[in-house]
Amino acid sequence: ETETDDQGRFRLTGLGDEPVSVQVEAFEFVSREIHGVEPGTEDLKIVLARGARIRGRVVSRESGDPVFEAELVVRGSTGTPEGTRTGA
């Protein structure tokens, strides 16, 4: 596990000889996973797409008051969770 520097560069070390999967997550971007990356690869470029937003409020049906710390799960067309966010 590692993070990118201010130029988007990264280095993963301590890998075996078998191909690996690389998963990338970044705030406000759609997560991406790349399979079959060969150890020793020097020029891997991973392109992330900006994530779309949904904004709204969760309120009580009875009182109309805001519901504090409600958790929302976004599911894509396949039903698979795509993201979870709490807070505004």
Side-chain angles (χ1 to χ4, degrees):
E1 187 171 313
T2 191
E3 292 185 354
T4 57
D5 67 12
D6 62 348
Q7 298 297 308
R9 295 178 298 225
F10 64 92
R11 179 179 299 211
L12 296 165
T13 60
L15 305 174
D17 297 332
E18 299 294 317
V20 298
S21 295
V22 177
Q23 183 174 346
V24 182
E25 296 179 359
F27 183 68
E28 294 190 351
F29 286 87
V30 177
S31 298
R32 179 134 188 237
E33 188 166 0
I34 312 244
H35 301 281
V37 179
E38 294 289 338
T41 299
E42 295 284 334
D43 59 350
L44 182 61
K45 182 177 181 179
I46 302 170
V47 179
L48 299 181
R50 283 257 180 217
R53 293 185 181 181
I54 299 172
R55 291 186 179 208
R57 293 183 67 202
V58 178
V59 297
S60 166
R61 180 186 303 186
E62 291 78 24
S63 67
D65 292 337
V67 176
F68 180 66
E69 292 187 339
E71 182 174 303
L72 290 89
V73 176
V74 177
R75 297 192 187 277
S77 59
T78 63
T80 308
E82 296 209 1
T84 315
R85 292 285 187 263
T86 57

Coordinates of all heavy atoms in Angstrom, one line a residue:
E1 N 0.9 -1.2 0.0 CA 0.0 0.0 0.0 C 0.9 1.2 0.0 O 1.9 1.3 0.7 CB -0.9 0.0 1.2 CG -1.9 1.1 1.2 CD -2.9 0.9 2.3 OE1 -3.4 -0.2 2.5 OE2 -3.1 1.9 3.0
T2 N 0.5 2.2 -0.8 CA 1.3 3.5 -0.9 C 0.4 4.6 -1.3 O -0.8 4.3 -1.6 CB 2.5 3.3 -1.9 OG1 3.3 4.4 -1.7 CG2 2.0 3.2 -3.3
E3 N 0.9 5.8 -1.3 CA 0.1 6.9 -1.8 C 1.0 7.6 -2.9 O 2.2 7.5 -2.9 CB -0.1 8.0 -0.7 CG -1.1 7.4 0.3 CD -1.5 8.5 1.3 OE1 -0.9 9.6 1.3 OE2 -2.4 8.2 2.2
T4 N 0.3 8.3 -3.8 CA 1.0 9.1 -4.8 C 1.6 10.3 -4.3 O 1.2 10.9 -3.3 CB 0.0 9.4 -6.0 OG1 -1.0 10.2 -5.5 CG2 -0.5 8.2 -6.7
D5 N 2.7 10.8 -5.0 CA 3.3 12.1 -4.6 C 2.5 13.2 -5.3 O 1.5 13.0 -6.0 CB 4.8 12.1 -4.9 CG 5.1 12.1 -6.4 OD1 4.2 12.2 -7.2 OD2 6.3 11.8 -6.7
D6 N 3.0 14.4 -5.2 CA 2.3 15.6 -5.8 C 2.3 15.6 -7.3 O 1.6 16.4 -7.9 CB 2.9 16.9 -5.2 CG 4.3 17.1 -5.6 OD1 5.0 16.2 -6.0 OD2 4.8 18.2 -5.3
Q7 N 3.0 14.7 -7.9 CA 3.0 14.5 -9.4 C 2.3 13.3 -9.8 O 2.3 13.0 -11.0 CB 4.5 14.4 -9.9 CG 5.3 15.6 -9.6 CD 4.8 16.9 -10.3 OE1 4.6 16.9 -11.5 NE2 4.5 17.9 -9.6
G8 N 1.6 12.6 -8.9 CA 0.8 11.4 -9.2 C 1.7 10.1 -9.3 O 1.2 9.1 -9.6
R9 N 3.0 10.2 -9.0 CA 3.9 9.1 -9.1 C 3.7 8.2 -7.9 O 3.4 8.7 -6.8 CB 5.3 9.6 -9.2 CG 5.6 10.3 -10.5 CD 7.0 10.8 -10.6 NE 7.2 11.7 -9.4 CZ 7.9 12.8 -9.5 NH1 8.4 13.2 -10.7 NH2 8.0 13.6 -8.5
F10 N 4.0 6.9 -8.1 CA 4.0 6.0 -7.0 C 5.0 4.9 -7.2 O 5.4 4.7 -8.3 CB 2.6 5.4 -6.8 CG 2.1 4.6 -8.0 CD1 2.3 3.2 -8.1 CD2 1.5 5.2 -9.1 CE1 2.0 2.4 -9.2 CE2 1.1 4.4 -10.2 CZ 1.3 3.1 -10.2
R11 N 5.3 4.1 -6.2 CA 6.2 3.0 -6.3 C 5.7 1.9 -5.3 O 5.5 2.2 -4.1 CB 7.6 3.3 -5.9 CG 8.6 2.2 -6.0 CD 10.0 2.6 -5.7 NE 10.3 3.6 -6.7 CZ 11.5 3.8 -7.1 NH1 12.5 3.1 -6.6 NH2 11.8 4.7 -8.0
L12 N 5.5 0.7 -5.8 CA 5.1 -0.4 -5.0 C 6.3 -1.4 -4.9 O 6.8 -1.8 -5.9 CB 3.8 -1.1 -5.6 CG 2.6 -0.3 -5.6 CD1 1.5 -0.9 -6.5 CD2 2.0 -0.1 -4.2
T13 N 6.7 -1.7 -3.7 CA 7.8 -2.6 -3.6 C 7.4 -3.9 -2.8 O 6.3 -3.9 -2.2 CB 9.0 -1.9 -2.8 OG1 8.5 -1.5 -1.5 CG2 9.4 -0.7 -3.6
G14 N 8.3 -4.8 -2.7 CA 8.1 -6.0 -1.9 C 7.2 -7.0 -2.6 O 6.5 -7.8 -1.9
L15 N 7.0 -6.9 -3.9 CA 6.1 -7.8 -4.6 C 6.8 -9.1 -5.0 O 8.0 -9.1 -5.2 CB 5.6 -7.1 -5.9 CG 4.9 -5.7 -5.7 CD1 4.6 -5.1 -7.1 CD2 3.7 -5.8 -4.9
G16 N 6.0 -10.1 -5.2 CA 6.6 -11.4 -5.7 C 6.7 -11.4 -7.2 O 6.8 -10.3 -7.8
D17 N 6.8 -12.6 -7.8 CA 7.0 -12.7 -9.2 C 5.7 -12.7 -10.0 O 5.7 -12.6 -11.3 CB 7.8 -13.9 -9.6 CG 9.2 -13.8 -9.0 OD1 9.7 -12.7 -8.8 OD2 9.8 -14.9 -8.7
E18 N 4.6 -13.0 -9.4 CA 3.3 -13.2 -10.1 C 2.6 -11.8 -10.4 O 2.8 -10.9 -9.6 CB 2.4 -14.0 -9.2 CG 2.9 -15.4 -8.9 CD 3.0 -16.3 -10.1 OE1 2.0 -16.2 -11.0 OE2 4.0 -17.0 -10.3
P19 N 1.8 -11.8 -11.4 CA 1.1 -10.6 -11.7 C 0.2 -10.2 -10.5 O -0.3 -11.1 -9.8 CB 0.2 -10.9 -12.9 CG 1.0 -12.1 -13.6 CD 1.6 -12.8 -12.4
V20 N -0.1 -8.9 -10.3 CA -0.9 -8.4 -9.2 C -2.0 -7.6 -9.7 O -2.1 -7.1 -10.9 CB 0.0 -7.6 -8.3 CG1 1.1 -8.4 -7.6 CG2 0.6 -6.4 -8.9
S21 N -3.0 -7.3 -8.8 CA -4.0 -6.3 -9.1 C -3.7 -5.0 -8.3 O -3.3 -5.1 -7.2 CB -5.4 -6.9 -8.7 OG -5.8 -8.0 -9.4
V22 N -3.9 -3.9 -9.0 CA -3.7 -2.6 -8.3 C -5.0 -1.9 -8.2 O -5.7 -1.7 -9.3 CB -2.7 -1.8 -9.1 CG1 -2.5 -0.4 -8.5 CG2 -1.4 -2.5 -9.3
Q23 N -5.4 -1.5 -7.0 CA -6.6 -0.8 -6.8 C -6.3 0.7 -6.4 O -5.4 0.9 -5.6 CB -7.5 -1.4 -5.7 CG -8.8 -0.7 -5.5 CD -9.7 -1.4 -4.5 OE1 -9.5 -2.6 -4.2 NE2 -10.7 -0.7 -4.1
V24 N -7.0 1.6 -7.0 CA -6.7 3.0 -6.8 C -8.0 3.7 -6.3 O -9.0 3.5 -6.9 CB -6.2 3.8 -8.1 CG1 -5.9 5.2 -7.8 CG2 -5.0 3.0 -8.7
E25 N -7.9 4.4 -5.2 CA -9.0 5.2 -4.7 C -8.5 6.6 -4.4 O -7.4 6.8 -3.8 CB -9.5 4.6 -3.4 CG -10.1 3.2 -3.6 CD -10.6 2.6 -2.3 OE1 -10.4 3.2 -1.2 OE2 -11.1 1.5 -2.4
A26 N -9.2 7.6 -4.8 CA -8.9 9.0 -4.6 C -10.2 9.8 -4.4 O -11.2 9.6 -5.1 CB -8.1 9.6 -5.7
F27 N -10.2 10.7 -3.4 CA -11.3 11.5 -3.1 C -11.9 12.2 -4.4 O -11.1 12.8 -5.1 CB -11.0 12.5 -2.0 CG -12.1 13.4 -1.6 CD1 -13.2 12.8 -0.9 CD2 -12.2 14.7 -1.9 CE1 -14.3 13.6 -0.5 CE2 -13.2 15.5 -1.5 CZ -14.3 15.0 -0.8
E28 N -13.1 12.1 -4.6 CA -13.9 12.7 -5.7 C -13.6 12.1 -7.1 O -13.8 12.7 -8.1 CB -13.6 14.3 -5.8 CG -14.2 15.0 -4.6 CD -14.2 16.5 -4.7 OE1 -13.6 17.0 -5.7 OE2 -14.9 17.1 -3.9
F29 N -13.0 10.9 -7.1 CA -12.7 10.2 -8.3 C -13.4 8.8 -8.2 O -13.5 8.3 -7.1 CB -11.2 10.0 -8.6 CG -10.6 11.3 -9.1 CD1 -10.1 12.2 -8.2 CD2 -10.5 11.6 -10.4 CE1 -9.5 13.4 -8.6 CE2 -9.9 12.7 -10.9 CZ -9.4 13.6 -9.9
V30 N -13.7 8.2 -9.3 CA -14.2 6.8 -9.3 C -13.1 5.9 -9.1 O -12.0 6.0 -9.8 CB -14.9 6.5 -10.7 CG1 -15.4 5.1 -10.8 CG2 -16.0 7.5 -11.0
S31 N -13.2 4.9 -8.2 CA -12.2 3.9 -7.9 C -11.9 3.1 -9.1 O -12.8 2.9 -10.0 CB -12.6 3.0 -6.7 OG -12.8 3.8 -5.6
R32 N -10.7 2.5 -9.2 CA -10.4 1.7 -10.4 C -9.5 0.6 -9.9 O -8.7 0.7 -9.0 CB -9.7 2.6 -11.4 CG -9.2 1.9 -12.6 CD -9.6 2.6 -13.9 NE -9.3 1.8 -15.0 CZ -8.5 2.2 -16.0 NH1 -7.9 3.3 -16.0 NH2 -8.3 1.4 -17.0
E33 N -9.7 -0.6 -10.5 CA -8.8 -1.7 -10.2 C -8.3 -2.3 -11.6 O -9.0 -2.5 -12.5 CB -9.6 -2.8 -9.5 CG -8.7 -3.9 -9.0 CD -9.4 -4.8 -8.0 OE1 -10.5 -4.6 -7.6 OE2 -8.7 -5.8 -7.5
I34 N -7.0 -2.5 -11.6 CA -6.3 -3.0 -12.8 C -5.7 -4.4 -12.4 O -5.0 -4.5 -11.5 CB -5.1 -2.1 -13.2 CG1 -5.6 -0.6 -13.2 CG2 -4.5 -2.6 -14.5 CD1 -5.6 0.1 -14.5
H35 N -6.1 -5.4 -13.2 CA -5.6 -6.7 -13.0 C -4.5 -7.1 -13.9 O -4.4 -6.6 -15.0 CB -6.8 -7.7 -13.2 CG -8.0 -7.4 -12.3 ND1 -8.0 -7.8 -11.0 CD2 -9.1 -6.8 -12.5 CE1 -9.2 -7.4 -10.4 NE2 -9.9 -6.8 -11.4
G36 N -3.7 -8.1 -13.4 CA -2.6 -8.6 -14.3 C -1.4 -7.7 -14.5 O -0.7 -7.8 -15.5
V37 N -1.1 -6.8 -13.5 CA 0.0 -6.0 -13.6 C 1.3 -6.8 -13.3 O 1.3 -7.4 -12.2 CB -0.1 -4.7 -12.7 CG1 1.1 -3.8 -12.8 CG2 -1.4 -4.0 -13.0
E38 N 2.2 -6.8 -14.2 CA 3.5 -7.5 -14.0 C 4.4 -6.8 -13.0 O 4.7 -5.6 -13.3 CB 4.2 -7.8 -15.3 CG 3.4 -8.6 -16.3 CD 3.4 -10.1 -15.9 OE1 4.3 -10.5 -15.1 OE2 2.5 -10.8 -16.3
P39 N 4.9 -7.4 -12.0 CA 6.0 -6.8 -11.2 C 7.1 -6.4 -12.1 O 7.5 -7.0 -13.0 CB 6.4 -7.9 -10.2 CG 5.2 -8.8 -10.1 CD 4.6 -8.8 -11.5
G40 N 7.7 -5.2 -11.8 CA 8.8 -4.7 -12.6 C 8.3 -3.6 -13.6 O 9.1 -3.0 -14.3
T41 N 6.9 -3.5 -13.8 CA 6.4 -2.5 -14.7 C 6.8 -1.2 -14.3 O 6.8 -0.8 -13.1 CB 4.8 -2.6 -14.7 OG1 4.5 -3.9 -15.2 CG2 4.2 -1.6 -15.6
E42 N 7.3 -0.4 -15.2 CA 7.9 0.9 -14.9 C 7.0 2.1 -15.5 O 7.2 3.2 -15.1 CB 9.3 1.1 -15.5 CG 10.3 0.1 -14.9 CD 10.7 0.6 -13.5 OE1 10.7 1.8 -13.2 OE2 11.1 -0.3 -12.7
D43 N 6.1 1.8 -16.4 CA 5.4 2.9 -17.0 C 3.8 2.8 -16.9 O 3.1 3.2 -17.8 CB 5.7 2.9 -18.5 CG 5.4 1.6 -19.2 OD1 5.1 0.6 -18.5 OD2 5.5 1.5 -20.4
L44 N 3.4 2.2 -15.8 CA 1.9 2.0 -15.6 C 1.3 3.4 -15.4 O 1.6 4.2 -14.6 CB 1.6 1.1 -14.4 CG 0.2 0.8 -14.1 CD1 -0.5 0.1 -15.3 CD2 0.1 0.1 -12.8
K45 N 0.3 3.7 -16.3 CA -0.4 4.9 -16.2 C -1.9 4.6 -15.9 O -2.5 3.8 -16.7 CB -0.4 5.7 -17.5 CG -1.1 7.0 -17.4 CD -0.9 7.8 -18.7 CE -1.6 9.2 -18.7 NZ -1.4 9.9 -19.9
I46 N -2.4 5.0 -14.8 CA -3.8 4.7 -14.4 C -4.6 6.0 -14.5 O -4.3 7.0 -13.8 CB -3.8 4.2 -12.9 CG1 -2.9 3.0 -12.8 CG2 -5.2 3.9 -12.5 CD1 -2.7 2.5 -11.4
V47 N -5.6 6.0 -15.3 CA -6.4 7.2 -15.5 C -7.7 7.0 -14.7 O -8.4 6.0 -14.9 CB -6.7 7.3 -17.0 CG1 -7.6 8.6 -17.3 CG2 -5.4 7.4 -17.8
L48 N -8.0 8.0 -13.9 CA -9.2 8.0 -13.1 C -10.2 9.1 -13.6 O -9.8 10.1 -14.1 CB -8.9 8.4 -11.6 CG -8.0 7.5 -10.9 CD1 -7.8 8.0 -9.5 CD2 -8.5 6.1 -10.9
A49 N -11.5 8.7 -13.6 CA -12.5 9.6 -14.0 C -13.1 10.3 -12.7 O -13.2 9.8 -11.7 CB -13.7 8.8 -14.7
R50 N -13.5 11.6 -12.9 CA -14.1 12.3 -11.8 C -15.4 11.6 -11.5 O -16.2 11.2 -12.4 CB -14.4 13.7 -12.2 CG -13.2 14.6 -12.2 CD -13.2 15.5 -11.0 NE -12.1 16.3 -11.0 CZ -11.4 16.6 -9.9 NH1 -11.8 16.2 -8.7 NH2 -10.4 17.4 -10.0
G51 N -15.7 11.6 -10.2 CA -17.0 11.0 -9.8 C -18.1 12.0 -9.8 O -17.9 13.2 -9.5
A52 N -19.2 11.5 -10.2 CA -20.4 12.4 -10.2 C -20.9 12.5 -8.7 O -20.5 11.8 -7.9 CB -21.5 11.8 -11.0
R53 N -21.7 13.5 -8.5 CA -22.2 13.7 -7.1 C -23.7 13.6 -7.1 O -24.4 13.9 -8.0 CB -21.9 15.1 -6.6 CG -20.4 15.3 -6.4 CD -20.2 16.7 -5.9 NE -18.7 16.9 -5.7 CZ -18.2 18.0 -5.2 NH1 -19.0 19.0 -4.8 NH2 -16.9 18.1 -5.1
I54 N -24.2 13.2 -5.9 CA -25.6 13.3 -5.6 C -25.7 14.0 -4.2 O -25.0 13.6 -3.3 CB -26.3 11.9 -5.4 CG1 -26.1 11.1 -6.7 CG2 -27.7 12.0 -5.0 CD1 -26.6 9.7 -6.6
R55 N -26.4 15.1 -4.1 CA -26.5 15.8 -2.8 C -28.0 15.8 -2.4 O -28.9 15.8 -3.2 CB -26.0 17.2 -3.0 CG -24.6 17.3 -3.2 CD -24.1 18.7 -3.2 NE -22.7 18.8 -3.3 CZ -21.9 19.7 -2.9 NH1 -22.4 20.7 -2.2 NH2 -20.6 19.7 -3.1
G56 N -28.2 15.8 -1.1 CA -29.6 15.9 -0.6 C -29.6 15.9 0.9 O -28.5 16.2 1.5
R57 N -30.7 15.6 1.5 CA -30.8 15.6 2.9 C -31.6 14.4 3.3 O -32.5 14.0 2.6 CB -31.6 16.8 3.4 CG -30.9 18.1 3.3 CD -31.7 19.3 3.8 NE -31.8 19.2 5.3 CZ -32.7 19.7 6.0 NH1 -33.6 20.4 5.5 NH2 -32.7 19.6 7.3
V58 N -31.3 13.8 4.5 CA -32.1 12.7 5.1 C -32.8 13.3 6.3 O -32.2 13.9 7.2 CB -31.2 11.6 5.5 CG1 -32.0 10.5 6.2 CG2 -30.4 11.0 4.3
V59 N -34.2 13.2 6.2 CA -35.0 13.8 7.3 C -36.0 12.7 7.8 O -36.3 11.8 7.1 CB -35.8 15.0 6.8 CG1 -34.8 16.1 6.4 CG2 -36.7 14.7 5.6
S60 N -36.4 13.0 9.0 CA -37.5 12.1 9.6 C -38.8 12.3 9.0 O -39.2 13.5 8.7 CB -37.5 12.4 11.1 OG -38.7 11.9 11.7
R61 N -39.5 11.3 8.7 CA -40.8 11.4 8.1 C -41.8 12.1 9.0 O -42.6 12.9 8.6 CB -41.4 10.0 7.7 CG -42.8 10.0 7.1 CD -43.4 8.7 6.9 NE -42.5 7.9 6.1 CZ -42.8 6.7 5.6 NH1 -44.0 6.1 6.0 NH2 -42.0 6.0 4.9
E62 N -41.7 11.8 10.3 CA -42.6 12.3 11.3 C -42.4 13.8 11.6 O -43.3 14.6 11.5 CB -42.6 11.5 12.6 CG -43.1 10.1 12.5 CD -42.1 9.2 11.9 OE1 -40.9 9.4 11.9 OE2 -42.6 8.1 11.3
S63 N -41.2 14.2 11.8 CA -40.9 15.5 12.3 C -40.3 16.4 11.2 O -40.3 17.6 11.3 CB -39.9 15.5 13.5 OG -38.7 15.0 13.1
G64 N -39.7 15.8 10.2 CA -39.0 16.6 9.2 C -37.6 17.0 9.6 O -36.9 17.7 8.9
D65 N -37.2 16.6 10.9 CA -35.9 17.0 11.4 C -34.8 16.2 10.6 O -35.0 15.0 10.2 CB -35.8 16.7 12.9 CG -36.7 17.6 13.7 OD1 -37.0 18.7 13.2 OD2 -37.1 17.2 14.8
P66 N -33.6 16.7 10.5 CA -32.5 16.0 9.9 C -32.1 14.8 10.7 O -32.3 14.7 11.9 CB -31.3 17.0 10.0 CG -31.9 18.3 10.4 CD -33.2 18.1 11.0
V67 N -31.8 13.7 10.0 CA -31.3 12.5 10.6 C -29.8 12.5 10.7 O -29.1 12.5 9.6 CB -31.8 11.2 9.8 CG1 -31.3 10.0 10.5 CG2 -33.3 11.2 9.8
F68 N -29.2 12.5 11.9 CA -27.8 12.7 12.1 C -27.1 11.3 11.9 O -27.6 10.3 12.3 CB -27.5 13.2 13.5 CG -26.1 13.4 13.8 CD1 -25.3 14.3 13.2 CD2 -25.5 12.6 14.8 CE1 -24.0 14.5 13.5 CE2 -24.2 12.7 15.1 CZ -23.4 13.7 14.5
E69 N -25.9 11.3 11.2 CA -25.1 10.2 10.9 C -25.8 9.0 10.2 O -25.5 7.9 10.4 CB -24.4 9.7 12.2 CG -23.4 10.7 12.8 CD -22.7 10.2 14.0 OE1 -23.1 9.2 14.6 OE2 -21.6 10.7 14.2
A70 N -26.7 9.3 9.3 CA -27.3 8.3 8.5 C -26.3 7.9 7.5 O -25.4 8.7 7.0 CB -28.5 8.9 7.7
E71 N -26.2 6.6 7.2 CA -25.3 6.1 6.2 C -26.0 5.8 4.9 O -27.1 5.2 4.9 CB -24.6 4.8 6.7 CG -23.6 4.2 5.8 CD -22.9 3.0 6.3 OE1 -22.3 3.1 7.4 OE2 -22.9 2.0 5.7
L72 N -25.4 6.2 3.8 CA -26.0 6.0 2.5 C -25.1 5.1 1.7 O -23.9 5.2 1.7 CB -26.1 7.3 1.7 CG -27.2 8.3 2.3 CD1 -26.6 9.1 3.4 CD2 -27.8 9.0 1.2
V73 N -25.7 4.2 0.9 CA -24.9 3.2 0.1 C -25.5 3.4 -1.3 O -26.7 3.4 -1.6 CB -25.1 1.8 0.5 CG1 -24.4 0.9 -0.5 CG2 -24.6 1.6 1.9
V74 N -24.6 3.7 -2.3 CA -24.9 3.9 -3.7 C -24.7 2.6 -4.4 O -23.6 2.0 -4.3 CB -24.1 5.0 -4.3 CG1 -24.4 5.2 -5.8 CG2 -24.3 6.3 -3.5
R75 N -25.7 2.1 -5.1 CA -25.6 0.9 -5.9 C -25.7 1.2 -7.4 O -26.6 1.9 -7.8 CB -26.6 -0.1 -5.4 CG -26.5 -0.5 -4.0 CD -27.4 -1.7 -3.7 NE -27.3 -2.0 -2.2 CZ -26.4 -2.7 -1.6 NH1 -25.4 -3.2 -2.3 NH2 -26.5 -2.9 -0.3
G76 N -24.9 0.6 -8.1 CA -24.9 0.7 -9.6 C -26.0 -0.2 -10.2 O -26.8 -0.8 -9.5
S77 N -26.1 -0.2 -11.5 CA -27.2 -0.9 -12.2 C -27.1 -2.4 -11.9 O -28.0 -3.2 -12.0 CB -27.1 -0.7 -13.7 OG -25.9 -1.0 -14.2
T78 N -25.9 -2.9 -11.5 CA -25.7 -4.3 -11.2 C -26.1 -4.7 -9.7 O -26.1 -5.8 -9.3 CB -24.2 -4.8 -11.4 OG1 -23.4 -4.0 -10.5 CG2 -23.8 -4.5 -12.8
G79 N -26.4 -3.6 -8.9 CA -26.7 -3.8 -7.6 C -25.5 -3.8 -6.6 O -25.6 -4.0 -5.4
T80 N -24.3 -3.7 -7.2 CA -23.1 -3.7 -6.4 C -22.9 -2.3 -5.8 O -23.0 -1.3 -6.5 CB -21.9 -4.0 -7.3 OG1 -22.2 -5.2 -8.1 CG2 -20.6 -4.2 -6.5
P81 N -22.5 -2.3 -4.5 CA -22.2 -1.0 -3.9 C -21.1 -0.3 -4.6 O -20.1 -0.9 -5.0 CB -21.8 -1.3 -2.5 CG -22.4 -2.7 -2.2 CD -22.4 -3.4 -3.5
E82 N -21.3 1.0 -4.9 CA -20.3 1.8 -5.6 C -19.6 2.8 -4.8 O -18.6 3.3 -5.1 CB -21.0 2.5 -6.8 CG -21.5 1.5 -7.8 CD -21.6 2.1 -9.2 OE1 -21.1 3.2 -9.4 OE2 -22.0 1.3 -10.1
G83 N -20.2 3.2 -3.7 CA -19.6 4.2 -2.8 C -20.4 4.4 -1.6 O -21.6 4.2 -1.6
T84 N -19.8 4.9 -0.6 CA -20.5 5.2 0.7 C -19.8 6.5 1.2 O -18.6 6.6 1.2 CB -20.2 4.1 1.8 OG1 -20.4 2.8 1.2 CG2 -21.2 4.3 2.9
R85 N -20.6 7.4 1.6 CA -20.1 8.6 2.2 C -21.1 9.1 3.3 O -22.3 8.9 3.2 CB -20.1 9.8 1.1 CG -19.1 9.6 0.0 CD -17.7 9.8 0.5 NE -16.7 9.8 -0.5 CZ -16.0 8.7 -0.8 NH1 -16.1 7.6 -0.2 NH2 -15.1 8.8 -1.8
T86 N -20.5 9.6 4.3 CA -21.3 10.2 5.4 C -20.8 11.7 5.5 O -19.7 12.0 5.1 CB -21.1 9.5 6.7 OG1 -19.7 9.5 7.0 CG2 -21.6 8.1 6.6
G87 N -21.7 12.5 6.1 CA -21.3 13.9 6.2 C -21.7 14.7 5.0 O -22.0 14.1 3.9
A88 N -21.5 16.0 5.1 CA -21.9 16.8 3.9 C -20.8 17.1 3.1 O -19.9 17.6 3.0 CB -22.6 18.1 4.4

